[in-house]
Amino acid sequence: MQRNEVGRSAATAIHLRLRLLGGGLLVAHLLLVGWLTLRPLDVPWAAAANLTPLEGIRADLSYGPLEAARRIGESLALLAPLGVLLPLANGNLAPSPLAAWSSLGRTAAAGLLVSLLIEMLQSGVPGQVVDVDSVLLNGLGVVLAHVAVVPALRARLRRARRSERSQGSTPRIPRVGLGPWTDVLSAVPREY
């Protein structure tokens, strides 16, 4: 009974550490994203806002494959860590399939909302341009990161829980004498 309580408290402590680590990394990432996207830029001119879906991606593709990959990759990677950090900070690493799908939906919605908030705030920042394709690519990056990392993390936690359960309690072994003649020799009086 006591070992089970110790095991639970150790698992709770590890779970709490993971949540704190995820929360700290989430805050640090959001501060970095805010600095990258919401600081005023000193530019002589700025392009017009893009409010037509997929128009910005078409324009990026016209720059050639390397430049298009760089521009699209930047938009995909900007908020991609949220796909892992949000479930980690929330503690939603439950192994059930229903919880996995709902976690994906909540994470995707949160990623889209953060991206939309950034685009709305950019409308008032000099030198920053609003682009609806950024919202789409940021959301896709969050989903891709979630799908790539979180199931593997869940499987690892599942294996750790399974091995913790399979070990069970420590077996009790009755006390064994030192040798076959120990009882006989202890009955013999000694003269020193």
Side-chain angles (χ1 to χ4, degrees):
M1 182 79 159
Q2 184 181 9
R3 177 174 164 75
N4 197 11
E5 289 174 7
V6 171
R8 281 188 198 148
S9 65
T12 304
I14 291 171
H15 184 70
L16 181 63
R17 285 185 198 144
L18 280 175
R19 287 186 71 178
L20 288 174
L21 175 68
L25 290 174
L26 178 65
V27 168
H29 176 69
L30 288 175
L31 287 173
L32 177 68
V33 167
W35 180 77
L36 288 173
T37 58
L38 298 176
R39 63 187 165 132
L41 298 178
D42 192 23
V43 294
W45 62 273
N50 173 27
L51 300 178
T52 307
L54 305 178
E55 189 64 34
I57 295 173
R58 282 190 209 109
D60 289 342
L61 292 174
S62 69
Y63 287 114
L66 291 177
E67 185 64 20
R70 185 188 67 80
R71 288 176 177 239
I72 292 172
E74 284 176 355
S75 291
L76 284 172
L78 182 66
L79 294 180
L82 293 181
V84 178
L85 294 176
L86 285 172
L88 190 62
N90 194 21
N92 278 340
L93 293 174
S96 73
L98 181 60
W101 284 107
S102 66
S103 173
L104 176 63
R106 285 190 312 268
T107 303
L112 285 171
L113 287 173
V114 168
S115 181
L116 187 62
L117 176 68
I118 288 170
E119 292 300 320
M120 288 173 59
L121 291 174
Q122 277 182 341
S123 66
V125 177
Q128 297 287 356
V129 179
V130 176
D131 187 2
V132 70
D133 291 336
S134 293
V135 175
L136 298 174
L137 290 172
N138 291 158
L140 181 61
V142 169
V143 169
L144 290 175
H146 185 89
V147 168
V149 176
V150 173
L153 188 57
R154 282 192 178 115
R156 185 172 181 180
L157 288 174
R158 218 177 296 131
R159 281 193 305 269
R161 286 182 187 157
R162 206 175 298 136
S163 68
E164 184 179 293
R165 280 189 221 131
S166 67
Q167 288 180 359
S169 61
T170 305
R172 304 272 182 212
I173 301 173
R175 187 164 179 88
V176 178
L178 296 175
W181 295 96
T182 307
D183 295 336
V184 174
L185 292 176
S186 64
V188 175
R190 296 187 186 144
E191 296 177 16
Y192 292 101

